[in-house]
PDB file of all heavy atoms in Angstrom:
ATOM      1  N   GLU A 889      43.138 -33.101-130.462  1.00  0.00           N
ATOM      2  CA  GLU A 889      43.673 -32.021-129.650  1.00  0.00           C
ATOM      3  C   GLU A 889      44.685 -32.506-128.624  1.00  0.00           C
ATOM      4  O   GLU A 889      45.209 -31.706-127.850  1.00  0.00           O
ATOM      5  CB  GLU A 889      42.531 -31.291-128.942  1.00  0.00           C
ATOM      6  CG  GLU A 889      41.579 -30.620-129.917  1.00  0.00           C
ATOM      7  CD  GLU A 889      40.539 -29.770-129.227  1.00  0.00           C
ATOM      8  OE1 GLU A 889      40.680 -29.568-128.000  1.00  0.00           O
ATOM      9  OE2 GLU A 889      39.614 -29.305-129.894  1.00  0.00           O
ATOM     10  N   GLY A 890      44.954 -33.770-128.576  1.00  0.00           N
ATOM     11  CA  GLY A 890      45.962 -34.274-127.663  1.00  0.00           C
ATOM     12  C   GLY A 890      45.482 -34.312-126.219  1.00  0.00           C
ATOM     13  O   GLY A 890      44.289 -34.212-125.926  1.00  0.00           O
ATOM     14  N   TYR A 891      46.449 -34.441-125.331  1.00  0.00           N
ATOM     15  CA  TYR A 891      46.133 -34.555-123.902  1.00  0.00           C
ATOM     16  C   TYR A 891      45.947 -33.176-123.293  1.00  0.00           C
ATOM     17  O   TYR A 891      46.733 -32.265-123.540  1.00  0.00           O
ATOM     18  CB  TYR A 891      47.261 -35.299-123.178  1.00  0.00           C
ATOM     19  CG  TYR A 891      47.136 -35.296-121.670  1.00  0.00           C
ATOM     20  CD1 TYR A 891      46.265 -36.164-121.023  1.00  0.00           C
ATOM     21  CD2 TYR A 891      47.884 -34.407-120.913  1.00  0.00           C
ATOM     22  CE1 TYR A 891      46.145 -36.165-119.647  1.00  0.00           C
ATOM     23  CE2 TYR A 891      47.775 -34.394-119.531  1.00  0.00           C
ATOM     24  CZ  TYR A 891      46.897 -35.275-118.901  1.00  0.00           C
ATOM     25  OH  TYR A 891      46.775 -35.260-117.543  1.00  0.00           O
ATOM     26  N   TYR A 892      44.943 -33.022-122.502  1.00  0.00           N
ATOM     27  CA  TYR A 892      44.746 -31.791-121.747  1.00  0.00           C
ATOM     28  C   TYR A 892      44.056 -32.140-120.429  1.00  0.00           C
ATOM     29  O   TYR A 892      43.344 -33.131-120.331  1.00  0.00           O
ATOM     30  CB  TYR A 892      43.920 -30.782-122.538  1.00  0.00           C
ATOM     31  CG  TYR A 892      42.569 -31.291-122.986  1.00  0.00           C
ATOM     32  CD1 TYR A 892      41.460 -31.175-122.161  1.00  0.00           C
ATOM     33  CD2 TYR A 892      42.411 -31.870-124.238  1.00  0.00           C
ATOM     34  CE1 TYR A 892      40.232 -31.644-122.556  1.00  0.00           C
ATOM     35  CE2 TYR A 892      41.188 -32.337-124.646  1.00  0.00           C
ATOM     36  CZ  TYR A 892      40.088 -32.226-123.803  1.00  0.00           C
ATOM     37  OH  TYR A 892      38.873 -32.698-124.196  1.00  0.00           O
ATOM     38  N   LYS A 893      44.285 -31.316-119.456  1.00  0.00           N
ATOM     39  CA  LYS A 893      43.720 -31.552-118.132  1.00  0.00           C
ATOM     40  C   LYS A 893      42.312 -30.994-118.054  1.00  0.00           C
ATOM     41  O   LYS A 893      41.981 -29.985-118.670  1.00  0.00           O
ATOM     42  CB  LYS A 893      44.588 -30.909-117.059  1.00  0.00           C
ATOM     43  CG  LYS A 893      45.966 -31.553-116.916  1.00  0.00           C
ATOM     44  CD  LYS A 893      46.718 -30.995-115.729  1.00  0.00           C
ATOM     45  CE  LYS A 893      46.059 -31.393-114.430  1.00  0.00           C
ATOM     46  NZ  LYS A 893      46.837 -30.969-113.237  1.00  0.00           N
ATOM     47  N   ILE A 894      41.506 -31.680-117.269  1.00  0.00           N
ATOM     48  CA  ILE A 894      40.143 -31.232-117.015  1.00  0.00           C
ATOM     49  C   ILE A 894      40.076 -30.739-115.577  1.00  0.00           C
ATOM     50  O   ILE A 894      40.626 -31.373-114.667  1.00  0.00           O
ATOM     51  CB  ILE A 894      39.136 -32.378-117.250  1.00  0.00           C
ATOM     52  CG1 ILE A 894      39.256 -32.901-118.686  1.00  0.00           C
ATOM     53  CG2 ILE A 894      37.711 -31.937-116.964  1.00  0.00           C
ATOM     54  CD1 ILE A 894      38.372 -34.092-118.964  1.00  0.00           C
ATOM     55  N   ASP A 895      39.434 -29.614-115.387  1.00  0.00           N
ATOM     56  CA  ASP A 895      39.284 -29.078-114.040  1.00  0.00           C
ATOM     57  C   ASP A 895      38.527 -30.063-113.149  1.00  0.00           C
ATOM     58  O   ASP A 895      37.652 -30.808-113.615  1.00  0.00           O
ATOM     59  CB  ASP A 895      38.538 -27.746-114.081  1.00  0.00           C
ATOM     60  CG  ASP A 895      39.339 -26.687-114.807  1.00  0.00           C
ATOM     61  OD1 ASP A 895      40.578 -26.849-114.916  1.00  0.00           O
ATOM     62  OD2 ASP A 895      38.721 -25.720-115.272  1.00  0.00           O
ATOM     63  N   LYS A 896      38.879 -30.046-111.869  1.00  0.00           N
ATOM     64  CA  LYS A 896      38.224 -30.959-110.931  1.00  0.00           C
ATOM     65  C   LYS A 896      36.736 -30.670-110.829  1.00  0.00           C
ATOM     66  O   LYS A 896      35.920 -31.575-110.670  1.00  0.00           O
ATOM     67  CB  LYS A 896      38.885 -30.857-109.559  1.00  0.00           C
ATOM     68  CG  LYS A 896      40.295 -31.426-109.514  1.00  0.00           C
ATOM     69  CD  LYS A 896      40.850 -31.396-108.104  1.00  0.00           C
ATOM     70  CE  LYS A 896      42.248 -32.025-108.075  1.00  0.00           C
ATOM     71  NZ  LYS A 896      42.811 -32.008-106.693  1.00  0.00           N
ATOM     72  N   LYS A 897      36.379 -29.405-110.915  1.00  0.00           N
ATOM     73  CA  LYS A 897      34.959 -29.060-110.836  1.00  0.00           C
ATOM     74  C   LYS A 897      34.195 -29.664-112.006  1.00  0.00           C
ATOM     75  O   LYS A 897      33.102 -30.228-111.846  1.00  0.00           O
ATOM     76  CB  LYS A 897      34.793 -27.552-110.823  1.00  0.00           C
ATOM     77  CG  LYS A 897      35.341 -26.883-109.560  1.00  0.00           C
ATOM     78  CD  LYS A 897      35.106 -25.384-109.615  1.00  0.00           C
ATOM     79  CE  LYS A 897      35.636 -24.710-108.354  1.00  0.00           C
ATOM     80  NZ  LYS A 897      35.420 -23.243-108.389  1.00  0.00           N
ATOM     81  N   ASP A 898      34.772 -29.537-113.219  1.00  0.00           N
ATOM     82  CA  ASP A 898      34.110 -30.113-114.380  1.00  0.00           C
ATOM     83  C   ASP A 898      34.045 -31.630-114.304  1.00  0.00           C
ATOM     84  O   ASP A 898      33.043 -32.251-114.697  1.00  0.00           O
ATOM     85  CB  ASP A 898      34.836 -29.692-115.657  1.00  0.00           C
ATOM     86  CG  ASP A 898      34.792 -28.189-115.862  1.00  0.00           C
ATOM     87  OD1 ASP A 898      33.886 -27.549-115.289  1.00  0.00           O
ATOM     88  OD2 ASP A 898      35.667 -27.664-116.582  1.00  0.00           O
ATOM     89  N   LYS A 899      35.137 -32.224-113.792  1.00  0.00           N
ATOM     90  CA  LYS A 899      35.173 -33.682-113.694  1.00  0.00           C
ATOM     91  C   LYS A 899      34.130 -34.187-112.697  1.00  0.00           C
ATOM     92  O   LYS A 899      33.397 -35.153-112.953  1.00  0.00           O
ATOM     93  CB  LYS A 899      36.565 -34.142-113.276  1.00  0.00           C
ATOM     94  CG  LYS A 899      36.747 -35.650-113.325  1.00  0.00           C
ATOM     95  CD  LYS A 899      38.122 -36.055-112.854  1.00  0.00           C
ATOM     96  CE  LYS A 899      39.200 -35.565-113.790  1.00  0.00           C
ATOM     97  NZ  LYS A 899      40.537 -36.078-113.388  1.00  0.00           N
ATOM     98  N   LEU A 900      34.031 -33.523-111.529  1.00  0.00           N
ATOM     99  CA  LEU A 900      33.051 -33.937-110.532  1.00  0.00           C
ATOM    100  C   LEU A 900      31.629 -33.746-111.054  1.00  0.00           C
ATOM    101  O   LEU A 900      30.753 -34.564-110.797  1.00  0.00           O
ATOM    102  CB  LEU A 900      33.251 -33.138-109.244  1.00  0.00           C
ATOM    103  CG  LEU A 900      34.491 -33.509-108.413  1.00  0.00           C
ATOM    104  CD1 LEU A 900      34.648 -32.548-107.245  1.00  0.00           C
ATOM    105  CD2 LEU A 900      34.398 -34.939-107.916  1.00  0.00           C
ATOM    106  N   LYS A 901      31.440 -32.641-111.792  1.00  0.00           N
ATOM    107  CA  LYS A 901      30.111 -32.415-112.334  1.00  0.00           C
ATOM    108  C   LYS A 901      29.719 -33.494-113.330  1.00  0.00           C
ATOM    109  O   LYS A 901      28.585 -33.985-113.341  1.00  0.00           O
ATOM    110  CB  LYS A 901      30.074 -31.041-113.005  1.00  0.00           C
ATOM    111  CG  LYS A 901      28.693 -30.617-113.466  1.00  0.00           C
ATOM    112  CD  LYS A 901      28.726 -29.213-114.019  1.00  0.00           C
ATOM    113  CE  LYS A 901      27.329 -28.784-114.469  1.00  0.00           C
ATOM    114  NZ  LYS A 901      27.329 -27.416-115.030  1.00  0.00           N
ATOM    115  N   TYR A 902      30.680 -33.881-114.157  1.00  0.00           N
ATOM    116  CA  TYR A 902      30.410 -34.940-115.135  1.00  0.00           C
ATOM    117  C   TYR A 902      30.151 -36.274-114.439  1.00  0.00           C
ATOM    118  O   TYR A 902      29.234 -37.023-114.794  1.00  0.00           O
ATOM    119  CB  TYR A 902      31.576 -35.055-116.109  1.00  0.00           C
ATOM    120  CG  TYR A 902      31.486 -36.250-117.014  1.00  0.00           C
ATOM    121  CD1 TYR A 902      30.603 -36.270-118.092  1.00  0.00           C
ATOM    122  CD2 TYR A 902      32.275 -37.374-116.792  1.00  0.00           C
ATOM    123  CE1 TYR A 902      30.507 -37.366-118.916  1.00  0.00           C
ATOM    124  CE2 TYR A 902      32.191 -38.479-117.608  1.00  0.00           C
ATOM    125  CZ  TYR A 902      31.304 -38.470-118.669  1.00  0.00           C
ATOM    126  OH  TYR A 902      31.209 -39.558-119.482  1.00  0.00           O
ATOM    127  N   LEU A 903      30.975 -36.610-113.421  1.00  0.00           N
ATOM    128  CA  LEU A 903      30.806 -37.885-112.716  1.00  0.00           C
ATOM    129  C   LEU A 903      29.479 -37.938-111.990  1.00  0.00           C
ATOM    130  O   LEU A 903      28.796 -38.962-111.986  1.00  0.00           O
ATOM    131  CB  LEU A 903      31.968 -38.096-111.743  1.00  0.00           C
ATOM    132  CG  LEU A 903      33.341 -38.352-112.367  1.00  0.00           C
ATOM    133  CD1 LEU A 903      34.412 -38.440-111.299  1.00  0.00           C
ATOM    134  CD2 LEU A 903      33.328 -39.629-113.193  1.00  0.00           C
ATOM    135  N   ASN A 904      29.105 -36.828-111.344  1.00  0.00           N
ATOM    136  CA  ASN A 904      27.832 -36.808-110.629  1.00  0.00           C
ATOM    137  C   ASN A 904      26.664 -36.970-111.572  1.00  0.00           C
ATOM    138  O   ASN A 904      25.697 -37.687-111.292  1.00  0.00           O
ATOM    139  CB  ASN A 904      27.700 -35.501-109.845  1.00  0.00           C
ATOM    140  CG  ASN A 904      28.691 -35.436-108.684  1.00  0.00           C
ATOM    141  OD1 ASN A 904      29.079 -36.457-108.153  1.00  0.00           O
ATOM    142  ND2 ASN A 904      29.078 -34.224-108.304  1.00  0.00           N
ATOM    143  N   ASN A 905      26.731 -36.323-112.740  1.00  0.00           N
ATOM    144  CA  ASN A 905      25.645 -36.446-113.711  1.00  0.00           C
ATOM    145  C   ASN A 905      25.531 -37.876-114.242  1.00  0.00           C
ATOM    146  O   ASN A 905      24.437 -38.421-114.382  1.00  0.00           O
ATOM    147  CB  ASN A 905      25.855 -35.471-114.874  1.00  0.00           C
ATOM    148  CG  ASN A 905      25.677 -34.026-114.445  1.00  0.00           C
ATOM    149  OD1 ASN A 905      25.003 -33.755-113.451  1.00  0.00           O
ATOM    150  ND2 ASN A 905      26.284 -33.095-115.186  1.00  0.00           N
ATOM    151  N   SER A 906      26.691 -38.473-114.569  1.00  0.00           N
ATOM    152  CA  SER A 906      26.662 -39.837-115.106  1.00  0.00           C
ATOM    153  C   SER A 906      26.215 -40.837-114.049  1.00  0.00           C
ATOM    154  O   SER A 906      25.500 -41.797-114.338  1.00  0.00           O
ATOM    155  CB  SER A 906      28.043 -40.217-115.641  1.00  0.00           C
ATOM    156  OG  SER A 906      29.003 -40.186-114.605  1.00  0.00           O
ATOM    157  N   ARG A 907      26.621 -40.631-112.766  1.00  0.00           N
ATOM    158  CA  ARG A 907      26.227 -41.550-111.700  1.00  0.00           C
ATOM    159  C   ARG A 907      24.731 -41.445-111.427  1.00  0.00           C
ATOM    160  O   ARG A 907      24.048 -42.444-111.219  1.00  0.00           O
ATOM    161  CB  ARG A 907      27.026 -41.242-110.431  1.00  0.00           C
ATOM    162  CG  ARG A 907      26.849 -42.287-109.340  1.00  0.00           C
ATOM    163  CD  ARG A 907      27.695 -41.975-108.129  1.00  0.00           C
ATOM    164  NE  ARG A 907      29.109 -42.020-108.454  1.00  0.00           N
ATOM    165  CZ  ARG A 907      29.936 -40.994-108.306  1.00  0.00           C
ATOM    166  NH1 ARG A 907      29.489 -39.842-107.855  1.00  0.00           N
ATOM    167  NH2 ARG A 907      31.218 -41.116-108.609  1.00  0.00           N
ATOM    168  N   ALA A 908      24.229 -40.219-111.440  1.00  0.00           N
ATOM    169  CA  ALA A 908      22.791 -40.046-111.221  1.00  0.00           C
ATOM    170  C   ALA A 908      21.989 -40.665-112.354  1.00  0.00           C
ATOM    171  O   ALA A 908      20.927 -41.263-112.151  1.00  0.00           O
ATOM    172  CB  ALA A 908      22.459 -38.560-111.079  1.00  0.00           C
ATOM    173  N   PHE A 909      22.516 -40.565-113.572  1.00  0.00           N
ATOM    174  CA  PHE A 909      21.818 -41.165-114.712  1.00  0.00           C
ATOM    175  C   PHE A 909      21.824 -42.684-114.635  1.00  0.00           C
ATOM    176  O   PHE A 909      20.856 -43.353-114.989  1.00  0.00           O
ATOM    177  CB  PHE A 909      22.468 -40.691-116.011  1.00  0.00           C
ATOM    178  CG  PHE A 909      21.842 -41.291-117.243  1.00  0.00           C
ATOM    179  CD1 PHE A 909      20.627 -40.815-117.717  1.00  0.00           C
ATOM    180  CD2 PHE A 909      22.468 -42.333-117.921  1.00  0.00           C
ATOM    181  CE1 PHE A 909      20.042 -41.365-118.849  1.00  0.00           C
ATOM    182  CE2 PHE A 909      21.900 -42.886-119.037  1.00  0.00           C
ATOM    183  CZ  PHE A 909      20.678 -42.398-119.511  1.00  0.00           C
ATOM    184  N   ALA A 910      22.951 -43.220-114.150  1.00  0.00           N
ATOM    185  CA  ALA A 910      23.038 -44.688-114.058  1.00  0.00           C
ATOM    186  C   ALA A 910      22.163 -45.234-112.949  1.00  0.00           C
ATOM    187  O   ALA A 910      21.642 -46.344-113.036  1.00  0.00           O
ATOM    188  CB  ALA A 910      24.495 -45.103-113.833  1.00  0.00           C
ATOM    189  N   GLU A 911      21.990 -44.473-111.865  1.00  0.00           N
ATOM    190  CA  GLU A 911      21.216 -44.973-110.735  1.00  0.00           C
ATOM    191  C   GLU A 911      19.720 -44.838-110.960  1.00  0.00           C
ATOM    192  O   GLU A 911      18.923 -45.446-110.273  1.00  0.00           O
ATOM    193  CB  GLU A 911      21.610 -44.215-109.463  1.00  0.00           C
ATOM    194  CG  GLU A 911      23.010 -44.578-108.971  1.00  0.00           C
ATOM    195  CD  GLU A 911      23.399 -43.774-107.746  1.00  0.00           C
ATOM    196  OE1 GLU A 911      22.605 -42.881-107.348  1.00  0.00           O
ATOM    197  OE2 GLU A 911      24.478 -44.039-107.185  1.00  0.00           O
ATOM    198  N   GLU A 912      19.296 -43.999-111.895  1.00  0.00           N
ATOM    199  CA  GLU A 912      17.876 -43.834-112.148  1.00  0.00           C
ATOM    200  C   GLU A 912      17.338 -45.054-112.881  1.00  0.00           C
ATOM    201  O   GLU A 912      17.809 -45.390-113.968  1.00  0.00           O
ATOM    202  CB  GLU A 912      17.627 -42.575-112.985  1.00  0.00           C
ATOM    203  CG  GLU A 912      17.813 -41.295-112.210  1.00  0.00           C
ATOM    204  CD  GLU A 912      17.470 -40.090-113.067  1.00  0.00           C
ATOM    205  OE1 GLU A 912      17.086 -40.322-114.236  1.00  0.00           O
ATOM    206  OE2 GLU A 912      17.585 -38.961-112.579  1.00  0.00           O
ATOM    207  N   PRO A 913      16.384 -45.770-112.318  1.00  0.00           N
ATOM    208  CA  PRO A 913      15.822 -46.918-113.024  1.00  0.00           C
ATOM    209  C   PRO A 913      14.895 -46.473-114.128  1.00  0.00           C
ATOM    210  O   PRO A 913      14.301 -45.392-114.058  1.00  0.00           O
ATOM    211  CB  PRO A 913      15.055 -47.659-111.929  1.00  0.00           C
ATOM    212  CG  PRO A 913      14.679 -46.593-110.962  1.00  0.00           C
ATOM    213  CD  PRO A 913      15.794 -45.571-111.010  1.00  0.00           C
ATOM    214  N   PRO A 914      14.773 -47.240-115.185  1.00  0.00           N
ATOM    215  CA  PRO A 914      13.834 -46.894-116.247  1.00  0.00           C
ATOM    216  C   PRO A 914      12.414 -46.829-115.719  1.00  0.00           C
ATOM    217  O   PRO A 914      12.056 -47.524-114.765  1.00  0.00           O
ATOM    218  CB  PRO A 914      14.017 -48.015-117.279  1.00  0.00           C
ATOM    219  CG  PRO A 914      15.351 -48.596-116.962  1.00  0.00           C
ATOM    220  CD  PRO A 914      15.548 -48.421-115.504  1.00  0.00           C
ATOM    221  N   ALA A 915      11.624 -45.981-116.344  1.00  0.00           N
ATOM    222  CA  ALA A 915      10.265 -45.785-115.848  1.00  0.00           C
ATOM    223  C   ALA A 915       9.394 -46.996-116.079  1.00  0.00           C
ATOM    224  O   ALA A 915       8.483 -47.279-115.305  1.00  0.00           O
ATOM    225  CB  ALA A 915       9.653 -44.546-116.532  1.00  0.00           C
ATOM    226  N   ASP A 916       9.640 -47.746-117.163  1.00  0.00           N
ATOM    227  CA  ASP A 916       8.779 -48.860-117.507  1.00  0.00           C
ATOM    228  C   ASP A 916       9.276 -50.189-116.980  1.00  0.00           C
ATOM    229  O   ASP A 916       8.746 -51.231-117.321  1.00  0.00           O
ATOM    230  CB  ASP A 916       8.616 -48.944-119.031  1.00  0.00           C
ATOM    231  CG  ASP A 916       9.964 -49.074-119.714  1.00  0.00           C
ATOM    232  OD1 ASP A 916      10.968 -48.783-119.049  1.00  0.00           O
ATOM    233  OD2 ASP A 916       9.987 -49.452-120.911  1.00  0.00           O
ATOM    234  N   THR A 917      10.335 -50.188-116.193  1.00  0.00           N
ATOM    235  CA  THR A 917      10.870 -51.435-115.647  1.00  0.00           C
ATOM    236  C   THR A 917      10.729 -51.430-114.139  1.00  0.00           C
ATOM    237  O   THR A 917      10.635 -50.374-113.505  1.00  0.00           O
ATOM    238  CB  THR A 917      12.347 -51.616-116.017  1.00  0.00           C
ATOM    239  OG1 THR A 917      13.075 -50.487-115.543  1.00  0.00           O
ATOM    240  CG2 THR A 917      12.505 -51.738-117.522  1.00  0.00           C
ATOM    241  N   GLN A 918      10.781 -52.625-113.570  1.00  0.00           N
ATOM    242  CA  GLN A 918      10.639 -52.780-112.128  1.00  0.00           C
ATOM    243  C   GLN A 918      12.006 -52.759-111.477  1.00  0.00           C
ATOM    244  O   GLN A 918      12.970 -53.312-112.003  1.00  0.00           O
ATOM    245  CB  GLN A 918       9.931 -54.113-111.836  1.00  0.00           C
ATOM    246  CG  GLN A 918       9.370 -54.197-110.438  1.00  0.00           C
ATOM    247  CD  GLN A 918       8.577 -55.476-110.270  1.00  0.00           C
ATOM    248  OE1 GLN A 918       8.750 -56.404-111.050  1.00  0.00           O
ATOM    249  NE2 GLN A 918       7.730 -55.523-109.272  1.00  0.00           N
ATOM    250  N   VAL A 919      12.123 -52.134-110.326  1.00  0.00           N
ATOM    251  CA  VAL A 919      13.399 -52.050-109.618  1.00  0.00           C
ATOM    252  C   VAL A 919      13.717 -53.407-109.012  1.00  0.00           C
ATOM    253  O   VAL A 919      12.906 -53.989-108.292  1.00  0.00           O
ATOM    254  CB  VAL A 919      13.342 -50.965-108.521  1.00  0.00           C
ATOM    255  CG1 VAL A 919      14.654 -50.914-107.766  1.00  0.00           C
ATOM    256  CG2 VAL A 919      13.019 -49.618-109.139  1.00  0.00           C
ATOM    257  N   ARG A 920      14.928 -53.922-109.294  1.00  0.00           N
ATOM    258  CA  ARG A 920      15.360 -55.219-108.783  1.00  0.00           C
ATOM    259  C   ARG A 920      16.557 -55.020-107.881  1.00  0.00           C
ATOM    260  O   ARG A 920      17.499 -54.312-108.225  1.00  0.00           O
ATOM    261  CB  ARG A 920      15.723 -56.162-109.929  1.00  0.00           C
ATOM    262  CG  ARG A 920      14.560 -56.466-110.865  1.00  0.00           C
ATOM    263  CD  ARG A 920      14.999 -57.400-111.971  1.00  0.00           C
ATOM    264  NE  ARG A 920      13.898 -57.678-112.878  1.00  0.00           N
ATOM    265  CZ  ARG A 920      14.030 -58.453-113.969  1.00  0.00           C
ATOM    266  NH1 ARG A 920      15.189 -58.987-114.269  1.00  0.00           N
ATOM    267  NH2 ARG A 920      12.976 -58.674-114.741  1.00  0.00           N
ATOM    268  N   THR A 921      16.531 -55.702-106.762  1.00  0.00           N
ATOM    269  CA  THR A 921      17.653 -55.647-105.811  1.00  0.00           C
ATOM    270  C   THR A 921      18.413 -56.951-105.902  1.00  0.00           C
ATOM    271  O   THR A 921      17.818 -58.035-105.872  1.00  0.00           O
ATOM    272  CB  THR A 921      17.138 -55.440-104.382  1.00  0.00           C
ATOM    273  OG1 THR A 921      16.228 -56.487-104.055  1.00  0.00           O
ATOM    274  CG2 THR A 921      16.429 -54.084-104.269  1.00  0.00           C
TER     275      THR A 921
END
């Protein structure tokens, strides 16, 4: 479909979802700092 613009609202929603998913530690692993 070529290049098309994504609305800022959709982009922020996608980034927030992906960031929250990345920050969530797995349930069966221990959190390491």
